[in-house]
Amino acid sequence: MLKSVGPNFYTPFLSLFDQLVLGNCVLLVNLRRMRLEKCWFCSSTVYPGHGIKFVRNDAKIFRFCRSKCHKNFKMKRNPCKVKWTKAYRRLHGKDMTQDSTFEFERKRNRPERYDRNLAENTLKAIKKIDKIRSDRASDHIKNRLKTGKVQRQKEARKQLELGIHLVKASLALAQDSSLCLPKIKVNVSQAQTEENQPMEE
């Protein structure tokens, strides 16, 4: 029966059906959205069905991404003193702490009425914000590493000056005096030379 009717007959109905299904799916996704938690110890993302949840006697809930974080919590370690955590990295200036893109990540508990245009614009904005944040984070890391790079270059130059005889041939050093370190002349008084004479028996 479906073959007897032309294929163009069902296209408007299919497009309406897809829109209705898509609308219901979006509503279902909004109602049953995945809640991504943050690990209490290392601040990494904990996806649904993963990690460990610990409820203390005072009903405070702690979520951990893996057993490593849970064990460190049980050992009463401070996340600000453990080098691989986000808290340590932010405290010591290794990661960005203040940026306008972090404002978009805050939890908002007020419900929004579904609007397809708003959802599309939001998804486009999320991609742009992620790109901006990654660019700013890479710039932050480059600026942070600049000081270390200058210091390493100074140390390498000093090491090269001290060990230039290992790199250059002795004849080249004799011909070009700029390659050698300047020789320092020290005046030694006669009294010191007499004191250093070997003792006679």
Side-chain angles (χ1 to χ4, degrees):
M1 189 170 172
L2 285 172
K3 290 181 182 177
S4 62
V5 181
N8 295 333
F9 179 75
Y10 286 104
T11 50
F13 298 108
L14 285 174
S15 62
L16 285 172
F17 183 73
D18 286 342
Q19 287 174 4
L20 289 171
V21 170
L22 182 64
N24 288 338
C25 286
V26 171
L27 284 174
L28 286 173
V29 167
N30 282 343
L31 291 173
R32 299 192 47 141
R33 189 177 65 224
M34 286 194 309
R35 186 173 286 266
L36 304 180
E37 304 288 348
K38 293 282 181 191
C39 176
W40 184 88
F41 196 79
C42 70
S43 304
S44 63
T45 308
V46 182
Y47 291 94
H50 293 261
I52 301 162
K53 188 188 284 187
F54 172 70
V55 183
R56 208 163 52 186
N57 286 341
D58 61 351
K60 187 168 184 198
I61 298 170
F62 299 92
R63 288 180 177 83
F64 305 103
C65 57
R66 53 193 186 272
S67 61
K68 177 182 180 180
C69 297
H70 188 213
K71 286 173 184 174
N72 278 291
F73 173 77
K74 286 195 287 187
M75 287 189 276
K76 297 184 179 178
R77 286 191 177 152
N78 186 356
C80 295
K81 294 182 181 176
V82 181
K83 288 193 175 183
W84 49 269
T85 61
K86 283 263 195 201
Y88 177 91
R89 292 185 64 79
R90 286 186 180 139
L91 189 68
H92 291 84
K94 295 179 184 298
D95 279 348
M96 286 193 306
T97 53
Q98 293 177 342
D99 193 42
S100 58
T101 55
F102 293 134
E103 188 66 24
F104 296 106
E105 204 174 279
R106 282 191 307 117
K107 280 187 181 176
R108 293 169 179 82
N109 291 325
R110 66 176 187 272
E112 289 286 338
R113 188 170 182 175
Y114 173 70
D115 181 17
R116 174 173 270 181
N117 294 332
L118 180 68
E120 287 176 7
N121 293 337
T122 305
L123 291 172
K124 288 176 187 174
I126 286 171
K127 290 177 185 175
K128 287 181 184 176
I129 290 165
D130 284 342
K131 187 177 184 311
I132 290 168
R133 183 184 297 156
S134 63
D135 291 345
R136 287 182 183 175
S138 62
D139 289 344
H140 175 77
I141 290 169
K142 283 179 188 173
N143 292 335
R144 186 172 59 84
L145 295 177
K146 269 183 188 174
T147 55
K149 187 177 181 181
V150 171
Q151 190 174 358
R152 284 194 299 274
Q153 285 176 346
K154 280 183 183 176
E155 289 173 2
R157 199 175 294 119
K158 188 175 180 182
Q159 189 74 24
L160 184 64
E161 286 173 358
L162 292 174
I164 194 71
H165 63 281
L166 300 172
V167 180
K168 286 275 188 179
S170 56
L171 290 173
L173 292 172
Q175 290 173 357
D176 190 5
S177 61
S178 65
L179 296 174
C180 296
L181 289 171
K183 293 185 178 178
I184 301 168
K185 293 183 179 179
V186 179
N187 294 329
V188 180
S189 63
Q190 286 291 352
Q192 286 179 347
T193 53
E194 289 173 2
E195 287 174 8
N196 294 336
Q197 295 289 332
M199 295 179 71
E200 294 180 9
E201 291 181 13

